[in-house]
């Protein structure tokens, strides 16, 4: 039995989500149990695939962001929409991931900030696929940058159709999605005031991070979230900049450890200070870089030196990184010189374990719960 077993999503049209979730889960569990029983009869071992999983697609949008979360019950959250233009390339890739996950609608689309590599693809996506609610940090704060203003205006025009619900979120808010916990850490330049439960230890990596001047763009406005699925913790701060990371993480670590760090700002040197990366101490970091965007060598070094890191994964080979600052080929979705739109997928389990799948190699690496 492959992990690509799909539920009967046609049920959804007639029974509603809750019933479907149960029906799907039951069907899947029944199918898997029958296989597991056969397997355990042969090996004496139960199949670990019986666990319900969170699925996270790291769609290749060529140096922008588009990260799709799908809960076991079929609720969905997309963080950012890639770029505008290119004949709808990024929207098409997001739709392909959504359909692969069995979705007929994306429940929530979270726009981290109003730069064109994050909000640009929203109108094209909305033209192709049903969306429920948009979540953002409020208004565009970078009114002197023409591409940002253009992306913001297109987003506003789309909201003005009245087809969508819109939520502007503040730190401490929780996205009303079921099946996983999504807490807002940063928004519009504001940060959570107090450490999260279990966090708040002094952060020795603050000494290793030089202070930097305050960013003046939309980047520091990024709507950042901590996503929890059972014991599994994933951090996504959009393009939040170094100065805000230090404010968030010094002198005490307000986040605690995470399992997965979705690398801020495509692995560009304006983000990923040691104060952030070494303190959250991820097992895996996933970098949504493009061939020629992000993946700065100094940032790559900081991530690779993180104390508990098992692997860094890259959506693209980084041209700037060259031979010395790229991970081994098996951890890269798009090799040097190609633009195949390959994606990475994380399959997360409530016990804290997860798998990483590379659509280029078709290989899966397991990270069992610790
Ligand atoms: Zn960006």
């Amino acid at each position: 039995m492959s992990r690509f077993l799909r539920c009967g999503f046609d049920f959804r049209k007639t029974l509603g989500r809750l019933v479907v979730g149960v029906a799907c889960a039951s069907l899947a569990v029944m199918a898997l149990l029958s296989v597991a029983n056969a397997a355990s009869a042969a090996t004496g071992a139960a199949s670990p695939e019986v666990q319900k999983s969170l699925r996270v697609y790291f769609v290749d949008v060529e140096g922008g962001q588009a990260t799709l979360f799908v809960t076991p019950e079929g609720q969905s959250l997309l963080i950012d929409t890639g770029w505008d233009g290119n004949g709808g390339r990024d929207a098409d890739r997001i739709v392909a991931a959504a359909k692969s996950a069995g979705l007929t609608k994306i429940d929530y689309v979270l726009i981290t900030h109003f730069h064109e590599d994050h909000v640009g693809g929203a109108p094209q996506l909305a033209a192709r696929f049903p969306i429920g609610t948009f979540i953002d940090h409020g208004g565009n704060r970078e009114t002197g940058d023409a591409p940002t203003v253009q992306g913001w205006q297109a987003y506003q025009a789309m909201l003005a159709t009245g087809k969508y619900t819109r939520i502007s979120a503040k730190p401490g808010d929780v996205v009303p999605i079921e099946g996983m916990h999504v807490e807002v850490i940063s928004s519009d330049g504001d940060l959570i005031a107090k450490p999260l439960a279990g966090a708040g230890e002094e952060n020795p990596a603050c000494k290793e991070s030089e202070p930097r001047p305050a960013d003046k763009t939309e980047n520091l406005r990024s709507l950042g979230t901590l996503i929890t699925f059972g014991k599994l913790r994933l951090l996504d701060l959009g393009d939040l900049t170094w100065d805000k990371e230090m404010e968030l993480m010094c002198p005490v670590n307000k986040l605690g450890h995470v399992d997965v760090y979705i690398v801020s700002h495509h692995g560009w040197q304006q983000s990923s200070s040691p104060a952030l990366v070494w303190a959250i101490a991820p097992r895996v970091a996933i970098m949504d870089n493009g061939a020629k965007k992000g993946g700065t060598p100094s940032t790559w070094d900081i991530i690779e030196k993180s104390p508990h890191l098992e692997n860094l994964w890259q959506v693209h080979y980084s041209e700037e990184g060259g031979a010395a600052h790229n991970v081994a080929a098996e951890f890269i979705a798009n090799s040097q010189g190609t633009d195949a739109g390959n994606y990475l997928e994380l399959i997360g389990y409530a016990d804290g374990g997860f798998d990483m799948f590379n659509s280029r190699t078709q290989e899966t690496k397991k990270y069992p719960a610790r």
Side-chain angles (χ1 to χ4, degrees):
M1 179 63 62
S2 86
R3 63 182 187 77
F4 292 106
L5 177 89
R6 304 286 184 232
C7 294
F9 278 92
D10 285 342
F11 284 118
R12 211 170 255 203
K13 290 172 188 153
T14 50
L15 293 179
R17 176 167 293 119
L18 183 63
V19 178
V20 172
V22 173
C24 278
S26 301
L27 284 172
V29 168
M30 279 163 58
L32 288 167
L33 281 177
S34 64
V35 172
N37 287 342
S40 56
T43 64
S47 167
E49 292 182 308
V50 176
Q51 284 194 75
K52 284 185 176 186
S53 58
L54 172 74
R55 300 169 65 194
V56 189
Y57 296 82
F58 299 84
V59 180
D60 175 26
V61 290
E62 309 292 337
Q65 181 166 5
T67 315
L68 177 65
F69 295 74
V70 183
T71 71
E73 293 79 16
Q75 286 246 313
S76 52
L77 166 70
L78 175 71
I79 298 184
D80 289 331
T81 59
W83 304 81
D84 188 14
N86 304 303
R89 176 200 66 199
D90 293 355
D92 285 341
R93 291 178 180 179
I94 294 164
V95 169
K99 287 184 175 172
S100 162
L103 300 180
T104 54
K105 175 187 178 186
I106 299 176
D107 298 304
Y108 297 92
V109 174
L110 186 156
I111 303 295
T112 59
H113 62 297
F114 298 114
H115 279 161
E116 54 183 336
D117 55 324
H118 297 260
V119 72
Q124 291 177 334
L125 178 64
R128 285 163 170 76
F129 206 72
I131 293 169
T133 299
F134 283 90
I135 307 171
D136 58 43
H137 73 61
N140 171 37
R141 302 289 193 171
E142 197 175 337
T143 53
D145 183 62
T148 304
V149 170
Q150 194 178 0
W152 162 249
Q153 287 175 343
Y155 177 64
Q156 288 296 99
M158 193 188 60
L159 293 177
T161 63
K163 290 182 188 169
Y164 310 104
T165 309
R166 178 193 182 189
I167 299 172
S168 290
K170 295 183 176 60
D173 287 352
V174 174
V175 174
I177 188 169
E178 293 165 20
M180 61 180 185
H181 185 80
V182 182
E183 181 163 353
V184 175
I185 302 298
S186 62
S187 181
D188 197 24
D190 294 331
L191 303 166
I192 51 168
K194 292 181 185 165
L196 300 178
E201 288 187 12
E202 197 177 329
N203 181 359
C206 294
K207 293 196 293 286
E208 313 286 339
S209 309
E210 81 275 9
R212 290 193 185 173
D215 181 75
K216 293 186 169 57
T217 73
E218 267 287 305
N219 290 325
L220 95 159
R221 308 280 172 181
S222 287
L223 177 49
T225 48
L226 184 81
I227 297 120
T228 309
F229 178 74
K231 291 182 180 171
L232 184 66
R233 303 178 89 224
L234 306 93
L235 181 66
D236 185 292
L237 297 179
D239 287 359
L240 196 75
T241 45
W242 184 293
D243 52 315
K244 280 289 161 189
E245 292 175 356
M246 302 259 315
E247 197 179 324
L248 176 65
M249 301 299 286
C250 298
V252 300
N253 174 358
K254 291 200 188 77
L255 300 179
H257 287 183
V258 306
D259 300 287
V260 178
Y261 171 47
I262 300 172
V263 177
S264 300
H265 215 164
H266 326 289
W268 204 23
Q269 57 84 25
Q270 288 186 326
S271 304
S272 292
S273 58
L276 173 70
V277 180
W278 298 354
I280 60 172
R283 297 179 69 184
V284 158
I286 303 165
M287 185 162 78
D288 50 11
N289 64 309
K292 294 180 177 167
K293 181 159 179 264
T296 310
S298 60
T299 305
W300 192 94
D301 281 337
I302 290 169
I303 295 168
E304 283 285 343
K305 283 181 196 160
S306 187
H308 299 304
L309 192 81
E310 294 173 44
N311 294 113
L312 167 63
W313 292 75
Q314 299 177 200
V315 172
H316 268 269
Y317 179 88
S318 162
E319 297 288 349
E320 188 184 352
H325 293 90
N326 275 282
V327 291
E330 65 189 285
F331 299 102
I332 300 178
N334 293 281
S335 309
Q336 188 173 19
T338 62
D339 179 20
N342 297 316
Y343 62 91
L344 298 170
E345 183 185 348
L346 180 145
I347 304 97
Y349 304 104
D351 67 2
F354 55 99
D355 305 334
M356 283 294 299
F357 171 74
N358 182 339
S359 78
R360 179 178 64 79
T361 64
Q362 294 288 304
E363 298 285 337
T364 298
K365 179 163 184 186
K366 292 191 170 298
Y367 298 87
R370 289 181 297 196

